[in-house]
Amino acid sequence: MRAVVVEEFGVEPTVVERSDPVPAPDGVVVAVEVTGLCASDRFAWRGHDAGVVTPFVPGHELVGRVVAVGGEVRWARVGDRVTTPFVQGCGRCGACAAGRAQVCPDQEQPGFTHDGSFAELVALRYADTNLVAVPDDLDGGGAALLGCRVATAFRAVVDRGGLRAGERLLVLGAGGVGLAAVLVARALDAEAVVVDPAPEARRRALALGATAALDPSIGPDGVRDALGSGGARVAVEAAGRADSLALGVRALRTQGTLVQVGLLASEPTVPVPEVVARELHLLGSHGMAAADYPRLMELVASGRLDVAALVTRRIGLDDAPGALAASPVPGEVVVIEP
Ligand SMILES: [Zn+2]
Ligand SMILES: [Zn+2]
């Protein structure tokens, strides 16, 4: 098979021929139809993820067809169209048994703990716990994003933030997760106010249905004014920036909740005195377990959540190394079709 291989952190990878993967007894091999180019792929490529060792194949956000099945797998069949949460829980521990595979202590992650989906084929572990069926008629570009950015946004907004219809969500960072959070809020009949320093990203957020898109230089008072009701009851930080996190905390209303999903390259300074005095909640969110996908898939199937609308550019595998190594274009969501 052909695959994008990172030999050295921060150096543009190459497309090379590799032997086809074989499934683990509890796993499958999937022919990759589409795979997303996510911010955390760049995070790993730069060497910011302590668990990643070179050489490796990036990619963790995919849709494709099962082409080989391990002997212990019960429900997957050759030909099934599937995606998977980027966190693949082991299926055997207490967290997995409780439906919380996204925090499984023995988790695998394609593109991080083993070779990922910037390739014609990818091996996925623990198939019975992690595979999610994808309808044949769903656009592949949108379907790939269900593996990471859309699911991450859905769980952060719905399960961790508890956003309700009629509320205004604060979204910090209009990259893939932030833009997906805008779509999720709209699908729930809620509104989204977005903060991002890049005008192109703000335009993209407005085009996807955000109520307002603000430059962070407006400051916490300006953000709170745009939100009304004394600030955000729920905010999602998806930029992975310390200043954005601090702005989000300060723009919360009393007893509000900020859900952190953006990955930070170093430990941020957080305005903890505000967290204490105004009883704020600061939560983390880490993908979403396959057990929690049915509500998301229903929202997609109903047409209320148009995941394909997120995709701005589709490229082939040969263009993937350059796209990975390039500076991200604000508001752009790139998918790769190997
Ligand atoms: Zn587990
Ligand atoms: Zn991702």
Side-chain angles (χ1 to χ4, degrees), residues 89-93 96 104:
C90 74
R92 293 185 296 265
C93 71
C96 287
C104 168

Side-chain angles (χ1 to χ4, degrees), residues 88-97 100-107 126 129:
Q88 298 176 346
C90 74
R92 293 185 296 265
C93 71
C96 287
R100 300 195 308 265
Q102 81 280 0
V103 289
C104 168
D106 298 318
Q107 64 186 257
Y126 317 126
T129 302

